[in-house]
């Protein structure tokens, strides 16, 4: 009886240790993927000193748990010659009864123009990043969609003119790398 209890106690300790190890691997994998999502499982395993299977399992669990939501590329639109317009819209709202800010945020997020949506502290409650084909289209989106919600008190729209740094990556172009010549 003692041997069985001792065995199960060791197994519980081992299982707990495995969970801690897996949590450490998941955190390390996540940190590396956030920096460069193109890293293969082989490369991640070599960097972390663990097996490829452990890395694949960690990534699969992170995806299943909803921690990793999407893999994406950061594009320098100036070099890609993308003429789309982005704007930051600050929105002041009255929280909805029973669901607070989440209800109005879900309604706004449902629009295809909305790229990012954040609950903020400060003068405005929501920060909405939208992308559209033109200044007029963004203006129409704000006036015909966002401002028409019953809970929206006010909006302030700021058009993004140039991006210098996105998600930690500098947006350099050829002109910014050249030295300026002064007479």
């Amino acid at each position: 009886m003692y041997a069985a209890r001792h065995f199960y106690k060791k197994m519980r300790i081992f299982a707990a240790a495995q969970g801690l190890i897996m949590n450490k691997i998941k955190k390390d994998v996540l940190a590396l993927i956030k920096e460069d999502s193109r890293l293969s499982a082989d490369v991640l395993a070599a960097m972390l000193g663990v097996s490829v299977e452990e890395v694949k399992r960690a990534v699969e669990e992170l995806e299943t748990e909803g921690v990793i939501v999407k893999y994406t590329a950061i594009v320098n639109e100036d070099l890609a010659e993308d003429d789309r317009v982005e704007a930051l819209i600050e929105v002041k709202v009255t929280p909805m009864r029973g669901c607070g800010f989440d209800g109005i945020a879900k309604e706004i997020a449902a629009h295809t123009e909305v790229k990012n949506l954040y609950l903020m502290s400060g003068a405005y409650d929501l920060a909405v990043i939208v992308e559209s084909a033109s200044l007029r289209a963004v203006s129409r989106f704000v006036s015909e969609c966002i401002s028409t919600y019953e809970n929206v008190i006010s909006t302030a729209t700021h058009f993004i003119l140039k991006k210098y740094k996105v998600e930690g990556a500098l947006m350099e172009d050829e002109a910014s790398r050249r030295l300026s010549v002064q007479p």
Side-chain angles (χ1 to χ4, degrees), residues 75-141:
V75 176
N76 185 336
E77 281 93 0
D78 290 340
L79 296 178
E81 297 183 22
D82 186 359
D83 291 333
R84 297 192 55 82
V85 175
E86 277 188 295
L88 165 70
I89 305 164
E90 298 173 321
V91 184
K92 189 165 187 66
V93 299
T94 303
M96 294 176 78
R97 181 177 299 272
C99 57
F101 294 106
D102 293 346
I104 187 72
K106 285 178 184 173
E107 289 182 29
I108 292 172
H111 294 279
T112 57
E113 296 89 347
V114 176
K115 283 180 55 178
N116 299 299
L117 177 59
Y118 307 101
L119 178 62
M120 306 296 290
S121 64
Y124 287 86
D125 304 306
L126 300 174
V128 184
I129 307 289
V130 298
E131 182 180 77
S132 197
S134 67
L135 295 173
R136 184 179 307 261
V138 171
S139 175
R140 196 172 19 249
F141 175 72

Side-chain angles (χ1 to χ4, degrees), residues 17-57:
Q18 287 299 96
L20 291 175
I21 291 168
M22 191 57 181
N23 283 340
K24 169 96 170 89
I25 293 170
K26 284 165 58 173
K27 285 183 181 181
D28 293 345
V29 165
L30 190 59
L32 291 170
I33 287 175
K34 282 174 67 175
E35 200 58 38
D36 185 354
S37 64
R38 296 174 298 170
L39 296 173
S40 69
D42 294 337
V43 172
L44 290 168
M47 292 172 80
L48 298 174
V50 299
S51 72
V52 175
E53 290 75 29
E54 288 176 297
V55 168
K56 287 180 178 178
R57 185 176 51 193

